[in-house]
Amino acid sequence: MSDKEFSEKTSNEIAYDLEKESYNEIFSFLNTATKSTAQDVFFKFSNHVIVDVFPIMTDDLFLKIFTKVDTHKAARVLSRLNRDAVDEKLELLPKITSREIKDFLNYDENTAGFLMETILLSCSKDDTVNTVLEKLRKLGDKRIITIYIIDEEQKLIGRVPVNYIAIANPEQQLHELMYAAYSVDAMASREEVLAAIETHTLLQIPVVDIHNHLLGIIRNDSVLLASREEVSGDLQTMFGAGKEEHALSKTSFAVRKRLPWLQINLVTAFLASMVVGFFEDTIAKITILAIFLPVVAGQSGNTGSQALAVTIRGLALKEIRIGQWLRVAKKELLVGLINGVAVAITTGIVVFFWANSLGIAVVIGISMILSMVIAGFAGAVIPIGLKAIGQDPATSSSIILTTVTDICGFLSFLGLASALSSVLGIV
């Protein structure tokens, strides 16, 4: 099929036509088509076609389709395939792209994403019953009891039980038989999955990402098995064999987990104290500055913590990727600037009447804006940076952030006070 014919058909239509052809025909089209055309068509193939085609795909074709592609979309497709084969292919991609895709593929063992399997049949709402029957026969999996309906963006929009397909008119379209589809987010816990299955009396439930793209399904027997394993794991944890600390973990285990970070935090606290020490003479001359130090540090710390919480949540829920760090940082810079100006005005007014000094009010106002802008930026960049080097951002982000916000807060406030004291008549 030529690019000219592609221009006359949608990628969905071409994928549908190619699925009726041999795999040689599919590879011939993908290899000769332009990069964008090959990508568009490949990601529209049905699950069973991708499962069969991927293992025999050449490295050159893999790079053609998966280089400079939306990593979230790539992960949705690759999550349906054998993980060992996927990991081998991912080594061909640039490191940052490979890491982003792997990040989407790696789910915590307590989440729906970890429990799901990807052998399912998804169809368009305009597909006929006859088309579905052909796909079912080709897939040959007797466990399929539900057909899931997706739109052009692979978003879940409904379901049709297989027994409805069996008795329907062959020319009927799926939208005529479609029912609402209850689903769970890939980051949902086992308890949430089990509750959803019990509430809606389902034998299986589809798993979607945050944008409602269909990723896989969970069968109720998988949830029950996982629940039994979790109970066993909890018993081990009670005897100190767990990997993470729980409320009833051994004291020695808790100390071993917490003490190193407390020691690191102590070092960072001394760093902040050293910054204050650099301005000992200024504080000695303008003692009232010491009163307002916690105000600057506290506000910048809270600003950074807000940005940190939102960013870590975005990384955990797969809302953002490492490659989007600049976009996230720009947003937090702007938020920090706007909030900084608003807080600076309020702070300046309070300090003016408290200290009876316009100079100190101006200094703390400017300092508040600077420190909150820096804190917002740091709160966004630190967890993404840690993620980029393969570290858990939830483990050490807060300690690094506290260091940055304290040092920047003290430095901006005391530094400005020292530099502008004569100009603003503070002394």
Side-chain angles (χ1 to χ4, degrees):
M1 194 174 293
S2 66
D3 280 347
K4 182 179 179 181
E5 289 174 296
F6 177 77
S7 65
E8 299 171 355
K9 290 187 175 184
T10 67
S11 53
N12 269 326
E13 291 172 333
I14 294 177
Y16 179 74
D17 289 340
L18 283 173
E19 287 182 4
K20 300 175 182 177
E21 305 294 335
S22 67
Y23 291 144
N24 285 336
E25 290 292 331
I26 291 176
F27 283 128
S28 176
F29 172 81
L30 294 176
N31 283 316
T32 56
T34 62
K35 180 177 180 178
S36 61
T37 298
Q39 287 180 337
D40 286 342
V41 173
F42 181 83
F43 288 112
K44 292 298 189 299
F45 282 143
S46 298
N47 181 63
H48 66 276
V49 174
I50 292 176
V51 169
D52 288 343
V53 166
F54 183 83
I56 53 178
M57 179 186 293
T58 65
D59 291 347
D60 288 340
L61 182 56
F62 174 81
L63 288 171
K64 179 178 181 179
I65 292 174
F66 286 89
T67 300
K68 294 184 179 179
V69 72
D70 183 334
T71 50
H72 200 172
K73 181 193 291 185
R76 288 203 306 274
V77 170
L78 296 176
S79 66
R80 309 169 186 171
L81 308 170
N82 178 276
R83 186 58 192 270
D84 291 337
V86 169
D87 286 343
E88 185 178 336
K89 289 289 189 183
L90 289 180
E91 294 301 318
L92 302 172
L93 298 175
K95 286 186 178 180
I96 190 71
T97 304
S98 175
R99 183 173 293 164
E100 285 188 10
I101 293 175
K102 286 181 179 179
D103 184 42
F104 282 118
L105 294 174
N106 293 328
Y107 291 99
D108 185 88
E109 62 181 11
N110 190 46
T111 62
F114 183 84
L115 297 173
M116 73 179 180
E117 55 184 88
T118 55
I119 299 177
L120 55 85
L121 182 56
S122 58
C123 298
S124 164
K125 64 182 177 65
D126 297 323
D127 282 346
T128 64
V129 168
N130 217 19
T131 301
V132 176
L133 289 172
E134 289 178 11
K135 290 183 176 181
L136 279 169
R137 293 189 191 102
K138 191 169 183 178
L139 190 57
D141 192 324
K142 296 179 180 179
R143 297 181 303 164
I144 293 177
I145 59 174
T146 303
I147 312 300
Y148 292 103
I149 315 303
I150 56 176
D151 63 15
E152 292 186 357
E153 297 180 355
Q154 310 293 308
K155 293 183 179 180
L156 179 66
I157 58 175
R159 64 183 176 89
V160 179
V162 167
N163 57 341
Y164 282 38
I165 298 294
I167 62 175
N169 186 312
E171 299 307 318
Q172 269 190 290
Q173 293 183 316
L174 293 185
H175 67 82
E176 301 175 52
L177 307 170
M178 188 171 66
Y179 284 84
Y182 302 104
S183 62
V184 292
D185 186 270
M187 301 307 296
S189 67
R190 293 176 183 175
E191 292 79 9
E192 290 172 318
V193 173
L194 189 57
I197 288 177
E198 290 177 343
T199 300
H200 303 296
T201 320
L202 302 171
L203 293 176
Q204 62 185 38
I205 192 166
V207 180
V208 298
D209 64 12
I210 196 168
H211 301 296
N212 202 43
H213 295 116
L214 180 62
L215 301 177
I217 59 169
I218 299 176
R219 304 180 196 279
N220 58 3
D221 55 346
S222 298
V223 180
L224 293 174
L225 177 61
S227 297
R228 286 197 294 270
E229 291 174 349
E230 184 176 20
V231 171
S232 175
D234 289 342
L235 288 173
Q236 291 179 336
T237 302
M238 290 175 64
F239 292 99
K243 293 182 180 180
E244 299 296 333
E245 181 186 347
H246 292 265
L248 297 179
S249 295
K250 287 184 177 181
T251 301
S252 58
F253 180 82
V255 170
R256 191 166 65 251
K257 286 290 183 180
R258 301 182 194 183
L259 185 57
W261 291 112
L262 289 173
Q263 297 286 15
I264 293 172
N265 192 59
L266 182 62
V267 173
T268 63
F270 276 118
L271 288 175
S273 298
M274 286 175 60
V275 172
V276 176
F278 292 151
F279 299 97
E280 185 177 353
D281 293 340
T282 302
I283 295 174
K285 294 177 183 177
I286 317 169
T287 54
I288 198 170
L289 293 177
I291 298 175
F292 300 122
L293 282 176
V295 177
V296 178
Q299 283 301 108
S300 61
N302 287 337
T303 300
S305 296
Q306 289 174 340
L308 184 71
V310 172
T311 305
I312 289 180
R313 179 181 181 276
L315 289 170
L317 296 179
K318 321 292 185 183
E319 292 176 340
I320 57 175
R321 305 186 298 274
I322 297 171
Q324 294 176 306
W325 72 271
L326 186 58
R327 181 178 172 185
V328 178
K330 284 180 179 178
K331 173 237 179 180
E332 291 300 339
L333 275 171
L334 184 58
V335 171
L337 176 61
I338 295 172
N339 286 339
V341 171
V343 171
I345 293 172
T346 305
T347 306
I349 293 172
V350 172
V351 170
F352 174 73
F353 287 105
W354 185 334
N356 195 28
S357 170
L358 179 61
I360 294 179
V362 170
V363 166
I364 199 170
I366 297 173
S367 172
M368 194 70 76
I369 295 172
L370 289 174
S371 60
M372 287 178 69
V373 167
I374 295 171
F377 177 80
V381 170
I382 288 172
I384 295 177
L386 289 171
K387 191 75 173 177
I389 60 175
Q391 299 298 312
D392 181 6
T395 303
S396 51
S397 290
S398 60
I399 290 178
I400 299 174
L401 177 65
T402 300
T403 305
V404 172
T405 55
D406 283 353
I407 289 177
C408 290
F410 294 152
L411 191 60
S412 63
F413 182 46
L414 296 176
L416 284 170
S418 298
L420 303 178
S421 58
S422 59
V423 177
L424 298 176
I426 298 174
V427 179

